[in-house]
């Protein structure tokens, strides 16, 4: 009943729009910013005003204007996104992965790079992506499994990298506090674009409060990351993109004893080497599009045995693994009834594998094959009213239990006038358990298959209604949604009492509203803001009680200025009404406030200053569980030279 009341309220809200001009801006750059084209939402190119779902499109300039140094942090400034990180900038803590979540559903976001999925083993880490090489990001909130399959329960994010269409070569160097330094080199012509970057970061002595149960706090050691990308335009139809990253990181659990010998003996060190490869071959001609993709991750970690005072030997981490995904997707678009209607149909095939590479889990090998057919038909009922019906049938050959999944979707869009539209979006989504979820450690320290044969996919429905309004120099977007999912994955105790067995637990539900506003004040100033209020709750499968799953309130805002050779801006993201962590404390408000200023020295060179976490807060970048902190106030100065 609450959900219905919210939906009825939203219908009334769509009739109450701010008074303004009804004509769209004639400035092409302004018009694109306020009403950008999106490909991800419908798998065909459409203006946002004509797209029946909640979407946000960020250009390279808008991403850099957040003042963030990583793709992960830049995404946190998008309304509806609440990230979860174990290390600053989205750094992964070995197999404890940072992740991007949409609308409060844990591990419910599918991330694409150039249209190809990069989620591996149920995780969507974007660590290793170079922010400078990102051309555009499209965020689609709400049901997306019909067009994209599993893991798109809360939505999908498509990251498009820069293509080989610029003849300029670029070199960047930067340095800052906390040991931050690095370089970035790009060589490009009309056919090939190659980028190489290397980042370094120093030690941070404390990135968590003192753990009350074990008398230690977490420290972050030195780290580095090498990124390589190549984009090759083979001909008018074929394009090839390849990315590789390799990072080295260290963490400590620093003992707090007053005795220096005990501190030294009981301070374990964890060192990780993380290699990732992503490759995608794209075919695009007329109305036929196809991709062949390959992703892998090779995680190798070592732990210092702090119990041996005289011999600080390292041994393999039990969570070392190799995960791979290979597949293809082909679609065709048909234009029917004199181009009034559109039908998109296609097929997708993929194989996922997981292999343990440590002594403890070396016998763990799991694979999953997926075959899917999907279609989406947009029918124009009248010049103002369009309805879209879609469906997906997916066959999954799974090591635990084979699945046959049917995902329907129904959307409508009504144009009140040339600058205002109302839409509805109803769809079913699902996700499968991670391949590693079917394994657990037994009393002998070996990993064995333990998940029950009745393990089901998480699945449920998204309901959404929204308003989009474009003025002369501003835009307004409002979305009201309700989500309800069953069979959420949970952990049950094994024969040792540890929660290592994957089962289906309780339910998840969330009802909320999102509002985004952007305005071009004049040719020099732009600003925008967004707010999300929701109540994401997850049911405890043992007690049956409903508990808060993610923060209730998120707000963000930005302001940018450009004038001749100078440009600058500031962005802020605020999370409140957060969860209680394991230490019995409620996570404090997260206030991430960044700023930047840039000066064009010559037409081929510029210098830029970025400052992150201006307030120097102990921002808690996890939600619930243990606390992990972001970087303290940090700055970096970047010099760019092109030729």
């Amino acid at each position: 009943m609450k959900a219905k009341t919210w939906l009825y309220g939203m219908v009334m809200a769509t009739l109450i729009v701010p008074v303004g001009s009804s004509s769209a801006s004639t400035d092409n750059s302004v018009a694109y910013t306020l009403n950008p084209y999106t490909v991800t939402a419908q798998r065909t190119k459409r203006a946002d005003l004509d797209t029946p779902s909640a979407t946000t499109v960020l250009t390279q300039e808008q991403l850099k204007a957040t003042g963030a140094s990583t793709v992960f942090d830049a995404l946190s400034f998008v309304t509806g996104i609440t990230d979860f990180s174990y290390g600053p900038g989205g750094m992964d803590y070995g197999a404890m992965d940072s992740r991007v979540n949409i609308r409060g559903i844990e591990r419910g976001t599918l991330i694409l790079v150039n249209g190809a999925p990069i989620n591996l083993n149920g995780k969507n880490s974007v660590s290793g992506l170079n922010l400078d090489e990102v051309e555009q990001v499209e965020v689609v909130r709400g049901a997306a499994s019909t067009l994209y399959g599993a893991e798109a329960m809360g939505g999908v994010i498509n990251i498009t990298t820069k293509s080989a269409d610029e003849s300029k070569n670029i070199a960047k160097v930067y340095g800052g506090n906390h040991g931050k330094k690095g370089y970035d080199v790009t060589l490009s012509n009309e056919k090939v674009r190659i980028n190489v970057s290397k980042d370094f970061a120093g030690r941070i002595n404390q990135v968590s409060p003192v753990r009350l149960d074990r008398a230690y706090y977490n420290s972050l050691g030195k780290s580095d990351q090498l990124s390589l990308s190549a984009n090759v335009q083979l001909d008018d139809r074929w394009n090839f993109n390849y990315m590789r990253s390799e990072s080295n990181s260290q963490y400590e659990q620093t003992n707090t004893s007053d005795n220096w010998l005990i501190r030294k003996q009981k301070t374990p060190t964890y060192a990780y080497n993380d290699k990732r490869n992503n490759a995608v071959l794209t075919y695009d001609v007329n109305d036929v599009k196809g991709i062949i993709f390959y992703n892998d991750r090779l995680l190798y970690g070592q732990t210092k045995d702090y119990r041996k005072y005289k011999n600080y030997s390292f041994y393999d981490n039990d969570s070392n693994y190799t995960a791979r995904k290979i597949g293809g997707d082909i679609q065709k678009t048909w234009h029917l009834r004199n181009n009034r209607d559109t039908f998109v149909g296609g097929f997708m095939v993929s194989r996922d594998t997981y292999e343990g590479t440590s002594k403890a889990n070396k016998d763990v090998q799991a694979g999953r094959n997926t075959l899917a057919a999907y279609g989406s038909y947009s029918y124009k009922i009248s010049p103002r009213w369009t309805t879209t019906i879609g469906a997906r049938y997916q066959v999954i050959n799974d090591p635990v239990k084979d699945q046959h999944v049917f995902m329907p979707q129904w959307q409508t869009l009504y144009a009140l006038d040339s600058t205002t539209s109302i839409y509805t979006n109803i769809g079913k989504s699902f996700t499968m358990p991670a391949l590693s979820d079917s394994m657990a450690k037994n009393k002998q320290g070996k990993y064995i298959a333990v998940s029950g044969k009745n393990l089901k996919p998480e699945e449920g429905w998204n309901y959404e209604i929204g308003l989009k309004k474009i003025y002369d120099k501003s835009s307004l977007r409002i979305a009201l949604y309700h989500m309800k999912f069953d069979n959420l994955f949970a952990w049950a105790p094994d024969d040792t009492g540890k929660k290592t067995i994957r089962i289906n637990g309780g339910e998840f539900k969330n009802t909320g509203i999102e509002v985004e506003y952007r305005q071009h004040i004049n040719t020099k100033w732009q600003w925008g803001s967004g707010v999300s209020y929701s109540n994401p709750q997850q049911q405890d499968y043992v007690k049956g009680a409903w508990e808060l799953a993610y923060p209730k309130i998120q707000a963000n805002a930005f302001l940018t200025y450009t004038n001749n050779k100078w440009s600058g801006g500031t962005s802020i993201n605020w999370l409140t009404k957060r969860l209680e962590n394991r230490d019995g404390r409620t996570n404090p408000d997260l206030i991430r406030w960044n700023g930047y200023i840039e000066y064009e020295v010559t037409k081929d060179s510029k210098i830029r200053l970025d400052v992150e976490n201006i307030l120097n807060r102990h921002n808690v970048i996890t939600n619930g569980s243990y606390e992990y902190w972001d970087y303290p106030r940090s700055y970096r100065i970047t010099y760019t030279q092109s030729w």
Side-chain angles (χ1 to χ4, degrees), residues 297-569:
R297 182 184 183 188
L298 293 80
L299 177 67
Y300 177 71
Q302 291 181 310
T303 304
K304 180 184 287 185
D305 192 342
Y306 63 91
R307 295 166 294 184
K308 297 179 180 179
Y309 174 61
K310 295 182 179 180
N311 181 17
Y312 292 107
S313 60
F314 278 86
Y315 59 89
D316 287 352
N317 192 297
D318 289 351
S319 60
N320 292 345
Y321 72 89
T322 297
R324 294 185 175 91
K325 186 182 186 73
I326 186 171
D329 191 309
I330 186 168
Q331 71 171 63
K332 180 175 173 58
T333 302
W334 287 267
H335 303 279
L336 309 171
R337 293 206 307 148
N338 295 322
N339 292 324
R340 287 179 293 177
D341 300 345
T342 302
F343 176 74
V344 178
F347 296 91
M348 185 274 290
V349 61
S350 66
R351 175 166 175 78
D352 296 80
T353 60
Y354 176 92
E355 179 182 358
T357 57
S358 70
K359 184 179 295 185
N361 69 353
K362 65 180 181 180
D363 295 329
V364 176
Q365 294 186 2
R368 176 183 292 150
N369 298 321
T370 299
L371 177 65
Y374 59 87
S376 179
Y377 187 89
S378 294
Y379 179 80
K380 187 173 283 296
I381 300 173
S382 69
R384 292 192 176 191
W385 190 11
T386 303
T387 187
T388 302
I389 298 176
R392 182 186 194 92
Y393 183 71
Q394 191 150 318
V395 179
I396 303 166
N397 176 241
D398 188 73
V400 176
K401 183 179 180 181
D402 293 345
Q403 301 289 340
H404 295 255
V405 184
F406 178 72
M407 295 290 117
Q409 186 173 19
W410 177 43
Q411 300 167 298
T412 65
L413 186 138
Y414 184 79
L416 296 177
D417 54 44
S418 61
T419 63
T420 311
S421 62
I422 299 175
Y423 69 87
T424 61
N425 184 9
I426 301 173
K428 193 175 183 182
S429 296
F430 80 106
T431 191
M432 294 290 293
L435 287 172
S436 61
D437 285 350
S438 61
M439 307 294 168
K441 192 183 295 185
N442 63 9
K443 290 182 179 180
Q444 288 73 41
K446 294 291 185 179
Y447 281 80
I448 58 174
V450 294
S451 295
K453 295 295 183 182
N454 294 321
L455 190 64
K456 303 175 182 178
E458 294 180 343
E459 61 181 17
W461 289 86
N462 285 270
Y463 307 89
E464 181 179 324
I465 183 170
L467 163 76
K468 300 181 181 183
K469 175 70 177 179
I470 308 297
Y471 303 97
D472 274 348
K473 294 183 179 180
S474 62
S475 64
L476 174 68
R477 291 169 177 83
I478 303 174
L480 176 68
Y481 63 88
H482 176 70
M483 308 160 63
K484 188 176 184 300
F485 295 96
D486 300 319
N487 307 325
L488 286 195
F489 302 135
W491 295 106
D494 57 21
D495 53 3
T496 68
K498 295 182 179 180
K499 291 186 176 181
T500 59
I501 300 178
R502 205 52 150 168
I503 63 169
N504 290 120
E507 300 178 353
F508 172 88
K509 61 182 179 181
N510 189 12
T511 301
I513 184 170
E514 299 164 344
V515 180
E516 289 185 306
Y517 181 79
R518 293 181 182 178
Q519 182 181 24
H520 289 252
I521 301 173
N522 51 41
T523 57
K524 299 178 181 178
W525 292 93
Q526 298 180 38
W527 80 281
S529 64
V531 63
S532 171
Y533 178 82
S534 62
N535 188 27
Q537 292 182 296
Q538 187 167 331
Q539 187 181 34
D540 186 293
Y541 77 97
V542 177
K543 301 176 182 178
W546 289 92
E547 300 175 347
L548 185 64
Y550 262 83
K552 285 187 174 184
I553 299 176
Q554 177 203 27
N556 57 71
F558 73 88
L559 176 68
T560 60
Y561 173 81
T562 304
N563 184 25
N564 297 325
K565 294 187 175 184
W566 289 94
S567 63

Side-chain angles (χ1 to χ4, degrees), residues 37 89 92 96 169 205 216 220 224 257 294 327 342 409 430 498 511 518 619:
Y37 285 102
D92 298 325
M96 296 163 56
N169 303 312
N205 289 326
Y216 75 88
L220 179 65
D224 64 77
S257 173
Y294 172 83
T342 302
Q409 186 173 19
F430 80 106
K498 295 182 179 180
T511 301
R518 293 181 182 178
N619 276 327

Side-chain angles (χ1 to χ4, degrees), residues 1-147:
M1 289 302 297
K2 285 185 178 180
K4 290 180 180 179
T5 302
W6 275 84
L7 291 172
Y8 292 148
M10 185 58 195
V11 173
M12 297 302 297
T14 57
L15 304 178
I16 307 173
V17 296
V19 177
S21 172
S22 62
S23 61
S25 172
T26 57
D27 187 304
N28 290 334
S29 62
V30 174
Y32 173 76
T33 302
L34 300 178
N35 188 25
Y37 285 102
T38 172
V39 177
T40 309
Q42 301 290 101
R43 281 188 175 256
T44 59
K45 186 176 181 179
R46 289 189 182 182
D48 182 53
L49 198 63
D50 302 323
T51 302
S53 58
T55 58
T56 298
V57 179
L58 299 174
T59 63
Q60 164 68 197
E61 292 75 17
Q62 291 169 331
L63 288 167
K64 297 292 288 183
T66 63
S69 56
T70 65
V71 174
F72 185 88
D73 278 351
L75 288 173
S76 70
F77 289 86
V78 178
T79 303
I81 288 182
T82 48
D83 54 36
F84 185 116
S85 180
Y86 287 104
M91 183 185 298
D92 298 325
Y93 194 155
M96 296 163 56
D97 294 82
S98 301
R99 56 259 194 190
V100 178
N101 298 310
I102 295 178
R103 291 180 173 174
I105 179 70
E106 177 72 1
R107 302 191 186 279
T109 301
L110 176 64
I111 295 184
L112 314 173
V113 175
N114 299 316
I118 67 167
N119 290 32
L120 286 171
N121 194 37
K123 303 171 183 179
N124 66 14
S125 172
V126 294
S127 178
L129 291 178
N130 184 354
L131 181 60
D132 289 327
E133 284 301 292
V134 175
E135 181 66 29
Q136 180 172 284
V137 173
E138 296 180 17
V139 179
V140 182
R141 297 181 290 276
S145 282
T146 295
L147 293 180

